[in-house]
Amino acid sequence: MSGVLSGYRVLDFGRYIAGPYCASLLAEFGADVIRIEKLAGSEDRWTTPVNDDGIGALFLQINRNKRGLTLNPMKPEGREIVKKLVETADVVVANLPPQGLKAMGLDYDSLKAIKPDIVLTTVSAFGHGGPYSDRVGFDGIGQVMSGSTYMSGSEDQPVKFAGPWVDFTTAMMSAIGTLVALMHRKETGEGQMVEGALVRSALTIGNAALIEQAMLGINRKPTMNRGQTSGPSDIVPTKDGWFIVQVVGRPLFERWAKLVGRPDLIDDPRFADDLDRGNNSEILSEIAREHAKDKTTNEVLAEYAAASVPAGPLYTPQQTLDDPHVQAMGFLQDVEFPNLPKPAPVASAPINLSKTPGGIRHRAPVLGEHTEEILGELGYGADAIAEFRDKRIV
């Protein structure tokens, strides 16, 4: 299956999530993506292992559709291979600090000297332009520095979100930036550098709270799952589980008030608009809890659906996998991998295109799986490749 990006080659020197998932999105739509790892495998290959070989769950997700090459770019012969690869490439993805890029010859000036129209997509923790530019960091750094973690817990216990939303947001934005750079190159023949940054992504997602603080100096305190600028907005217990209710805007509030048997709330001045309802959200949460306490989650959700009030069940990961809508979408695709006990449910790109859809064409590569194939495409013969292996170049 070809794609709209067929004919483009991407070199993925990324690690962990933001860089590799950016490259994975490009691969989803047809680009030839070569994942380049250390000889022993990059760290993210072994994170959260799911089989006896130690292959990581996240690696299976964010490295599908790629070919795998092992390489030591710090040795002279390795640098020569990098040069030959760059000569064939359109994009280089590398989420490394600036000093790491320069040491590996992957900084923009070095790449441009090899291929003037190359697009370099980098991801760092803090981005350029500030005193933290050279610091390293992970997803959680962006979460806690953006204010989002503070607002997600309680005053006594901040709570970081378990999923790496900063990494994935950065990857998606970097993929968009890469596509824009390729469009610009098509028009002008010029390459450029695309830079994503974890903290910038986190500040983007939390920007509304920052704007409110800057404008009003309101100094909000965290309220766990309960919303502060509308209501009811909370995670509510039922007889056998939990569900979330999210009411924004007066029409939804009126429907919810009738649903819980409290039409008197509609004309109550404490709940006149979203901000008033947010300021008095604990009262609304208590009413929601009282309404749901003797019902099952399914019973409550059926009532909310009939009234067209947004609500959804709180799932464990297994319940998510078992949900009939999740299954019917076909979004999680069963992908085989050597020595897995069964196919892995890998998420495809979270967007559908009617004319140029993407898709998972093949699984993530085992370590160095396509090394001979890729080096052969660069003109290296079997003897040269064998010598590279003896010298621990590949």
Side-chain angles (χ1 to χ4, degrees):
M1 179 176 65
S2 62
V4 70
L5 295 180
S6 293
Y8 287 94
R9 171 168 284 185
V10 178
L11 306 181
D12 176 11
F13 289 90
R15 298 180 301 169
Y16 297 106
I17 300 174
Y21 189 61
C22 167
S24 179
L25 290 172
L26 303 177
E28 189 96 357
F29 294 96
D32 174 24
V33 178
I34 299 173
R35 175 66 197 270
I36 300 163
E37 298 182 71
K38 296 185 293 187
L39 271 61
S42 295
E43 299 90 338
D44 55 305
R45 177 175 282 273
W46 318 116
T47 302
T48 317
V50 292
N51 71 357
D52 292 339
D53 296 335
I55 191 70
L58 201 60
F59 190 89
L60 296 178
Q61 176 193 1
I62 64 177
N63 290 286
R64 75 294 182 101
N65 293 335
K66 300 179 185 178
R67 297 192 290 165
L69 168 72
T70 54
L71 180 65
N72 183 351
M74 303 304 290
K75 293 186 176 182
E77 297 94 332
R79 291 288 282 267
E80 185 62 28
I81 293 173
V82 169
K83 180 180 177 182
K84 287 182 176 293
L85 283 168
V86 170
E87 289 172 347
T88 72
D90 301 284
V91 177
V92 172
V93 176
N95 56 325
L96 297 164
Q99 63 270 28
L101 292 174
K102 189 171 287 289
M104 294 175 64
L106 298 177
D107 59 287
Y108 183 56
D109 287 341
S110 296
L111 294 175
K112 188 168 60 171
I114 300 169
K115 195 167 191 290
D117 66 349
I118 198 73
V119 172
L120 170 63
T121 300
T122 68
V123 175
S124 63
F126 295 93
H128 292 93
Y132 309 153
S133 295
D134 290 333
R135 293 186 186 179
V136 298
F138 286 124
D139 173 278
I141 306 298
Q143 290 198 35
V144 300
M145 290 185 66
S146 68
S148 296
T149 296
Y150 173 77
M151 292 302 298
S152 296
S154 67
E155 291 189 72
D156 296 327
Q157 180 59 69
V159 177
K160 181 180 78 67
F161 183 62
W165 59 268
V166 176
D167 272 328
F168 276 94
T169 301
T170 305
M172 293 176 191
M173 296 310 299
S174 297
I176 292 173
T178 302
L179 293 173
V180 172
L182 289 174
M183 291 177 66
H184 174 262
R185 192 184 76 164
K186 190 173 183 178
E187 294 176 355
T188 67
E190 299 173 340
Q192 62 180 298
M193 183 172 172
V194 178
E195 184 194 60
L198 302 184
V199 169
R200 285 206 298 257
S201 296
L203 293 174
T204 298
I205 300 298
N207 196 198
L210 301 177
I211 292 172
E212 181 192 50
Q213 178 62 29
M215 297 300 100
L216 304 178
I218 201 165
N219 293 317
R220 289 191 181 275
K221 301 298 183 182
T223 53
M224 296 292 286
N225 298 306
R226 181 160 48 85
Q228 299 186 3
T229 57
S230 65
S233 179
D234 207 348
I235 296 179
V236 179
T238 66
K239 188 168 67 174
D240 64 349
W242 300 79
F243 76 101
I244 190 171
V245 53
Q246 292 186 290
V247 171
V248 181
R250 186 166 183 83
L252 281 179
F253 178 69
E254 291 180 0
R255 293 204 293 271
W256 177 81
K258 294 173 183 176
L259 163 67
V260 297
R262 293 293 306 274
D264 59 295
L265 299 174
I266 295 172
D267 295 321
D268 191 319
R270 294 175 298 174
F271 312 120
D273 58 26
D274 276 334
L275 193 57
D276 288 327
R277 292 188 284 274
N279 290 336
N280 295 285
S281 60
E282 178 52 36
I283 299 171
L284 299 175
S285 289
E286 179 55 37
I287 293 170
R289 288 192 288 267
E290 183 65 24
H291 169 262
K293 69 178 183 180
D294 296 323
K295 297 180 171 71
T296 67
T297 300
N298 285 339
E299 289 170 343
V300 173
L301 292 177
E303 292 183 16
Y304 273 72
S308 294
V309 176
L314 176 72
Y315 278 165
T316 65
Q318 186 60 56
Q319 288 172 318
T320 300
L321 291 171
D322 294 338
D323 181 88
H325 183 80
V326 172
Q327 293 182 349
M329 284 192 300
F331 173 65
L332 299 177
Q333 299 184 28
D334 288 337
V335 177
E336 303 273 359
F337 192 86
N339 296 325
L340 281 185
K342 55 185 176 181
V346 176
S348 52
I351 49 174
N352 290 329
L353 283 75
S354 62
K355 296 294 185 182
T356 55
I360 298 177
R361 301 183 301 280
H362 56 80
R363 59 167 173 77
V366 300
L367 183 60
E369 181 173 355
H370 304 96
T371 297
E372 279 82 2
E373 176 181 297
I374 294 166
L375 292 180
E377 292 171 1
L378 297 178
Y380 293 106
D383 291 343
I385 296 172
E387 185 177 349
F388 289 150
R389 290 202 178 280
D390 289 340
K391 293 182 176 180
R392 302 289 293 165
I393 306 299
V394 299

